[in-house]
Amino acid sequence: MTQHVIPPDDDAQTPLAATTPDAALAARYGSQAFDVAARWNETIAALLDHRSVRAYLPLPLPSGTLDALIAAAQSAASSSNLQTWSVVAVEDAATKAKLAEYARGQKHIEEAPLFLVWLADLARLEEIGRRKGVPTDALAFLETLFVAIIDAALAAQNAVVALESFGLGSVYIGAIRNRPVEVAALLGLPPNVLAVFGLCVGYPDPSRPAEVKPRLPQRVVLHHERYDAALPQDAVDGYDRTLSEFQRGQNLPEIGWTAAALERVRGAQSLSGRDRIREALDKRGFGLR
Ligand SMILES: Cc1cc2nc3c(=O)[nH]c(=O)nc-3n(C[C@H](O)[C@H](O)[C@H](O)COP(=O)(O)O)c2cc1C
């Protein structure tokens, strides 16, 4: 995983993953003991070392990078091998600036040398059906849109794992769904193609480093055999404290997790325009059933 398939062009790489299981687990969970050390390897180390990067150096990506990322993305599983996703690689500064504007003015979109827009793409199969004279009515069901969105997400995450192995950083940009119709027009997306999220890709700026963000304790998310609805409040409270410490270290407001998460789901206004996604899908030709 940490093997460098593409030689880095300079010393702008992030350090490799935290080397000991204890250090990696402390970063990911705070002070918690899990039995991960017994199953430690370079892949686990790299996965646990993930962090979103929102500050990039103005360096181009080495040649072959995009090809390698897409090969990794296409190597992800795909529902029935339908491969109902596509991706637009954006390097043009003006297009990135416009996308940044559509996504709440997030500057890292402009800073990153590469912005990948991951698409749920039902147009390809529709076109293939048309060419063969075969109906493609199942494309109009919500299930098929699920398939395409899941496929796109799995593909993108494979690319993230690959780019992190090159010492690159990334951050997903769901905010492009704030303005799905405008994004579609800008990128020339045909009907039945939806931009699911973007992904900034570039060399992390070491002067503005990103840290590993702690996650909920495993006992909150892991259920054995059957779902346990007895949500352990002490674990959530503990996570609030852990995340507040992380926020303090980042000079961010120390609001923990609960308050921020609840704010994000408070109501339609919390969705920054994405409450109208259903309407946008209609406009984009996804006559969903
Ligand atoms: C689908 C998706 C959309 C996201 N959209 C944004 C975004 O628009 N802007 C942003 O700064 N981060 C975005 N993120 C990054 C998350 O905020 C980040 O993954 C989360 O806070 C956990 O931090 P970490 O990735 O550093 O572990 C998004 C992540 C995902 C998975």
Side-chain angles (χ1 to χ4, degrees):
M1 181 62 53
T2 47
Q3 194 183 3
H4 293 277
V5 179
I6 294 171
D9 59 352
D10 60 18
D11 59 359
Q13 283 195 287
T14 46
L16 293 181
T19 41
T20 70
D22 283 353
L25 289 171
R28 183 55 72 203
Y29 292 108
S31 53
Q32 309 237 346
F34 293 118
D35 189 16
V36 176
R39 304 298 295 151
W40 199 250
N41 62 30
E42 285 198 337
T43 302
I44 297 289
L47 290 171
L48 267 67
D49 200 51
H50 159 78
R51 73 276 313 265
S52 289
V53 171
R54 298 180 179 84
Y56 299 96
L57 293 172
L59 287 177
L61 304 181
S63 75
T65 301
L66 182 60
D67 290 2
L69 298 187
I70 302 309
Q74 289 194 277
S75 299
S78 164
S79 187
S80 305
N81 198 27
L82 292 181
Q83 305 176 64
T84 46
W85 64 272
S86 294
V87 61
V88 179
V90 179
E91 294 172 278
D92 176 70
T95 309
K96 283 190 291 174
K98 206 70 194 155
L99 288 165
E101 180 194 325
Y102 293 154
R104 278 193 277 109
Q106 298 188 63
K107 282 287 170 207
H108 31 273
I109 299 175
E110 293 176 70
E111 235 181 48
L114 175 66
F115 188 67
L116 296 173
V117 183
W118 299 87
L119 309 170
D121 185 350
L122 300 181
R124 185 163 47 233
L125 278 175
E126 190 185 32
E127 175 61 17
I128 290 169
R130 190 178 301 119
R131 288 181 190 180
K132 294 286 179 193
V134 173
T136 53
D137 296 343
L139 294 176
F141 285 84
L142 184 58
E143 159 61 12
T144 314
L145 180 57
F146 274 11
V147 162
I149 291 172
I150 293 167
D151 268 16
L154 298 179
Q157 183 56 24
N158 256 23
V160 167
V161 173
L163 69 87
E164 289 179 353
S165 79
F166 299 149
L168 294 166
S170 68
V171 61
Y172 284 102
I173 302 293
I176 61 164
R177 293 195 308 278
N178 295 4
R179 308 269 293 274
V181 175
E182 289 90 338
V183 168
L186 180 68
L187 301 179
L189 307 183
N192 264 327
V193 177
L194 175 74
V196 181
F197 44 70
L199 187 74
C200 302
V201 182
Y203 281 108
D205 180 348
S207 73
R208 297 173 286 166
E211 301 298 335
V212 169
K213 188 183 283 183
R215 292 294 196 263
L216 285 163
Q218 288 196 359
R219 68 190 171 105
V220 175
V221 303
L222 173 63
H223 303 253
H224 290 281
E225 313 305 341
R226 282 173 60 81
Y227 188 91
D228 179 0
L231 169 64
Q233 187 60 46
D234 63 313
V236 177
D237 292 345
Y239 181 55
D240 273 328
R241 288 190 293 275
T242 302
L243 205 59
S244 292
E245 266 173 49
F246 170 82
Q247 289 159 341
R248 189 178 319 137
Q250 300 278 296
N251 292 319
L252 294 169
E254 292 173 43
I255 55 172
W257 179 74
T258 301
L262 288 181
E263 193 51 40
R264 181 67 177 71
V265 297
R266 181 181 285 275
Q269 74 287 355
S270 330
L271 291 173
S272 313
R274 293 179 229 174
D275 50 308
R276 295 192 301 275
I277 204 99
R278 182 75 183 74
E279 202 181 297
L281 285 171
D282 284 344
K283 283 193 190 146
R284 302 285 313 117
F286 285 87
L288 286 179
R289 284 186 258 162

